[in-house]
Amino acid sequence: MNKDPEEGGIANPAFYQELAEDRDVGTPNPRPQLTVTRPIFQQDQLNDAYRYRKPKRQLYHELVANVRQVDTKTCCSTVFPFLTWLPEYSWSRDLLRDLVCGCTVAVMHIPQGIGYALLANVPPVVGIYMAFFPVLVYFLFGTSRHISMGTFAVVSIMVGKTVLAYSGTSEGEDEPEHTALEVATALGFVVGVMQLIMCLLRLGVISFLLSETLVSGFTTGAAIHVVTSQIKDLLGLTLPSVGSMFEIVKTYIEIFKQITNVNWAAIVISAITIVVLVFNEYLKPKVAKWSVIPIPIELIAVIAGTLLSRYLELRERYTLKTIENIPTGLPAPSLPDFSLMTTVIVDSIPVAMVGYTVSVSMALIFAKRENYEIGFNQELFAMGAGNVVGSFFSCFPFAASLSRSSIQYTVGGRTQIASVISCGLLAIVLLWVGPFFEPLPRCVLAGIIVVSLKGLLMQVTQLKGFWRQSPIDGMVWILTFLSVVAFAIDIGLLVGIVLSICCIFFRALKPYTCLLGNVPNTDIYLDLNRYEGLVEYPGMKIFHYCGALNFASRAAFKNTVCETLGINLTEEIKRRKDPDWKPSLAEQSVKFLVLDFTSLSSIDPSAIGTFKAMVREFEVLQLQIVLAGCQPPVYETMLRCGLIGDIEKPFCRLFTTVHDAVHHVRSEMEANASLSGSVVSNATGIV
């Protein structure tokens, strides 16, 4: 036989076929053998032999060592990530790409900024402020080189709900108690402070509680809210405020009540805008073949709508709603209204979470493509600082835009210098060009917003994939989506988070368990339900558990063990305590239960208490429990709680491997059999 693994050894598929044939015919295995001779180790014996000790963390010395390793340059590059890539920036090769990209994204910022500002129920110019102040802060502190920060549809509509809720008038007053801009900037400040606190607490990874399924269902439902909010402008209607709860249903009821009052001029202009934008979607692939710069169709639509409205006097002739006042110049810095902070703090939680999660998700996509790292806590710091600074300049919370980020990457943007170039162009718009857009009909912006949400709305097609991967994930998507649409955005987010946490909890309560059998002539033990030809030893069962044991899973663990062994523990104990009970042959068949804990990730004192009680109950059934293969942290917890430790009279014996435990059990059974004068059959397969 050729023993070369590449020619005839274990790498050759024929090896496995011959092994199966050997098993079927019952002939000795002619393959190369591994023979190990060593004592049978209980865990404590092995620990004593090799001087086991728990490592002690010397926090002071570690801190001093870390401080010495951190120099000024490293500290600066951590706080200002652009210092890591700016020295490597190729001005001859990358600047042109960033210049083209910056101009393209600036063009997109104008219609989206104005439109999403209206979505947030604040003055239109605020959307352009959002593309300037927070973006500059993110350039200094952000770690992503490709995402486009500023207004984002979902965050804008969440802000709009809060603005509507707190910018109304009090009883007996004609003037609003708080203006829309005061509420929006106060919300921006609170969101920023919250994100900075999360950064200090190192909670960047908390975004992973928001699973891909949750984010998809949530943003799809939020897109339905955005589309619904734009229908009034598409039809030229004026609708009363309907509140945040059951908003979609109430909005459509109001629309049908006023359906006879639609403005046909607004409908025609909206339809033309949507048709042109949708037609451009089909032109994009063809244009991309001869130009890396996409057609700025949104800006063309805005400019065309503005010119037609100005020279055809659409507002005066057809009573169309327009953008109206857009002031020139940069806003003077001013403090947010601190009296609103406690009022909007609850609303700020979902806004902070959604804005951060969406931004980090987009950043991770591009970072993986371009092979660089994203700092989760640094992203929290960048967004928190941007929101705090932005709140002093009339800005509401910002986030990464899905559509603009995709364009920024597709056009060829290399770094956040593209965002700086975009800010420069938008400064020109703020200083001089802003009033040009005042005659723009709102129905044009509504058409642009609806078409731009196509990507979010098409996420509904992801449901099939989520359901195929896991029905549980599919249900999370459906329930999150329905909660957002039927109730409210913040309620839907809360439902989605609770469902995701419940899924984690549910999966933890359903660990992988099985009975094991021995591969003949080896120390390998496999799942009896998945493999054939395994050896089961008389008088013992080997139970494998993969997961964690804690206060939540302890009852399920006990029930699973009993179900696997086919024992009703409570009834069996009562029966055994009956004076008239007599053992039968079947009841005496299993004497030992070996618990394979090699995959036990953790155990807590509550679970150990339940485990001790289970050991005592099984002793009544004359069934001993033996443990095998615990990892050091699990071993240390068991030792502290008194489950193991005394070699002479242990509460429960613990062996290094399953094979050690099986050898010990078979020795015990043979010794008991010799004392009782019976003969135990010598099953083959033990090495």
Side-chain angles (χ1 to χ4, degrees), residues 301-558:
V302 167
I303 294 175
T306 302
L307 293 175
L308 289 173
S309 177
R310 182 186 299 273
Y311 293 108
L312 296 181
E313 299 179 347
L314 297 180
R315 178 184 178 185
E316 292 76 12
R317 291 185 179 184
Y318 303 104
T319 62
L320 287 178
K321 295 180 182 177
T322 59
I323 297 298
E324 298 179 354
N325 182 45
I326 299 181
T328 57
L330 299 175
S334 61
L335 291 174
D337 190 343
F338 292 105
S339 64
L340 280 165
M341 302 303 172
T342 55
T343 305
V344 300
I345 191 168
V346 175
D347 299 80
S348 68
I349 297 173
V351 174
M353 291 292 294
V354 171
Y356 171 67
T357 303
V358 171
S359 301
V360 168
S361 299
M362 290 297 296
L364 281 172
I365 291 173
F366 299 127
K368 288 179 181 178
R369 292 179 184 176
E370 297 297 322
N371 193 30
Y372 64 90
E373 296 294 327
I374 294 296
F376 297 111
N377 289 297
Q378 183 64 23
E379 285 294 297
L380 273 174
F381 179 76
M383 294 190 67
N387 279 317
V388 170
V389 172
S391 67
F392 290 94
F393 294 93
S394 304
C395 295
F396 58 88
F398 75 109
S401 165
L402 304 182
S403 58
R404 288 197 312 272
S405 297
S406 299
I407 291 296
Q408 181 162 323
Y409 181 77
T410 304
V411 172
R414 305 297 298 167
T415 64
Q416 283 295 333
I417 286 181
S419 297
V420 176
I421 294 170
S422 173
C423 290
L425 294 176
L426 290 170
I428 297 174
V429 173
L430 289 170
L431 292 173
W432 295 290
V433 185
F436 169 79
F437 298 104
E438 290 179 355
L440 175 65
R442 290 197 177 198
C443 56
V444 174
L445 286 175
I448 292 173
I449 291 172
V450 169
V451 175
S452 70
L453 293 172
K454 180 176 69 73
L456 290 177
L457 293 172
M458 290 304 295
Q459 288 181 151
V460 73
T461 60
Q462 297 177 356
L463 174 59
K464 183 179 179 181
F466 287 130
W467 190 275
R468 185 172 60 250
Q469 295 167 8
S470 169
I472 295 177
D473 287 340
M475 288 303 300
V476 170
W477 195 101
I478 293 172
L479 294 176
T480 302
F481 172 80
L482 292 178
S483 300
V484 171
V485 172
F487 300 107
I489 287 181
D490 49 355
I491 297 296
L493 179 61
L494 179 62
V495 168
I497 292 175
V498 170
L499 288 173
S500 293
I501 294 174
C502 287
C503 286
I504 296 173
F505 186 72
F506 175 78
R507 283 166 174 156
L509 291 181
K510 289 291 183 180
Y512 168 56
T513 61
C514 65
L515 288 177
L516 301 180
N518 178 245
V519 177
N521 300 309
T522 72
D523 60 348
I524 300 172
Y525 294 82
L526 302 175
D527 188 344
L528 286 167
N529 292 325
R530 287 175 164 83
Y531 294 89
E532 297 179 359
L534 304 179
V535 174
E536 284 192 90
Y537 300 111
M540 81 171 77
K541 294 291 183 182
I542 308 170
F543 181 82
H544 175 78
Y545 184 88
C546 178
L549 268 177
N550 48 48
F551 67 94
S553 60
R554 56 184 178 176
F557 168 77
K558 181 178 177 181

Side-chain angles (χ1 to χ4, degrees), residues 596-632:
D596 176 15
F597 279 169
T598 53
S599 298
L600 180 65
S601 57
S602 63
I603 190 168
D604 69 359
S606 299
I608 290 179
T610 302
F611 191 85
K612 286 182 177 180
M614 188 180 75
V615 171
R616 295 190 186 99
E617 289 170 336
F618 274 121
E619 285 177 349
V620 176
L621 274 59
Q622 298 178 353
L623 192 156
Q624 295 184 39
I625 292 181
V626 177
L627 307 182
C630 294
Q631 302 301 321

Side-chain angles (χ1 to χ4, degrees), residues 155-373:
V155 172
S156 296
I157 197 169
M158 294 175 76
V159 172
K161 303 298 181 189
T162 305
V163 169
L164 280 179
Y166 302 114
S167 62
T169 56
S170 301
E171 280 189 39
E173 295 184 6
D174 296 329
E175 294 295 327
E177 186 177 359
H178 298 287
T179 66
L181 194 56
E182 287 175 342
V183 177
T185 54
L187 183 65
F189 182 83
V190 175
V191 167
V193 170
M194 188 171 297
Q195 289 171 335
L196 290 175
I197 293 174
M198 290 172 66
C199 173
L200 291 174
L201 298 177
R202 314 294 292 176
L203 296 179
V205 294
I206 202 172
S207 63
F208 292 113
L209 281 178
L210 305 182
S211 64
E212 182 183 357
T213 309
L214 185 156
V215 172
S216 176
F218 171 77
T219 53
T220 306
I224 300 292
H225 274 271
V226 177
V227 171
T228 301
S229 69
Q230 296 305 297
I231 290 180
K232 66 180 186 298
D233 288 328
L234 293 174
L235 301 179
L237 295 174
T238 300
L239 302 180
S241 175
V242 295
S244 59
M245 189 63 71
F246 308 109
E247 181 199 13
I248 289 182
V249 176
K250 293 178 181 177
T251 299
Y252 282 110
I253 291 174
E254 292 294 331
I255 289 172
F256 284 114
K257 284 181 180 178
Q258 300 188 34
I259 197 67
T260 56
N261 300 328
V262 297
N263 188 316
W264 288 102
I267 293 176
V268 171
I269 295 173
S270 301
I272 294 173
T273 302
I274 292 174
V275 169
V276 171
L277 293 172
V278 170
F279 181 71
N280 179 69
E281 294 293 318
Y282 293 98
L283 287 180
K284 277 184 178 179
K286 297 181 179 179
V287 174
K289 293 180 181 178
W290 54 269
S291 174
V292 294
I293 303 175
I295 298 174
I297 191 66
E298 292 88 356
L299 185 63
I300 293 173
V302 167
I303 294 175
T306 302
L307 293 175
L308 289 173
S309 177
R310 182 186 299 273
Y311 293 108
L312 296 181
E313 299 179 347
L314 297 180
R315 178 184 178 185
E316 292 76 12
R317 291 185 179 184
Y318 303 104
T319 62
L320 287 178
K321 295 180 182 177
T322 59
I323 297 298
E324 298 179 354
N325 182 45
I326 299 181
T328 57
L330 299 175
S334 61
L335 291 174
D337 190 343
F338 292 105
S339 64
L340 280 165
M341 302 303 172
T342 55
T343 305
V344 300
I345 191 168
V346 175
D347 299 80
S348 68
I349 297 173
V351 174
M353 291 292 294
V354 171
Y356 171 67
T357 303
V358 171
S359 301
V360 168
S361 299
M362 290 297 296
L364 281 172
I365 291 173
F366 299 127
K368 288 179 181 178
R369 292 179 184 176
E370 297 297 322
N371 193 30
Y372 64 90
E373 296 294 327

Side-chain angles (χ1 to χ4, degrees), residues 76-86 134-147 149 356 359-360 363 372-386 398 415-417 419:
C76 291
S77 62
T78 301
V79 178
F80 302 101
F82 72 91
L83 294 177
T84 60
W85 54 260
L86 191 59
V135 173
L136 287 178
V137 176
Y138 185 83
F139 165 77
L140 295 175
F141 302 115
T143 58
S144 175
R145 305 174 193 176
H146 294 90
I147 57 176
M149 306 300 284
Y356 171 67
S359 301
V360 168
Y372 64 90
E373 296 294 327
I374 294 296
F376 297 111
N377 289 297
Q378 183 64 23
E379 285 294 297
L380 273 174
F381 179 76
M383 294 190 67
F398 75 109
T415 64
Q416 283 295 333
I417 286 181
S419 297

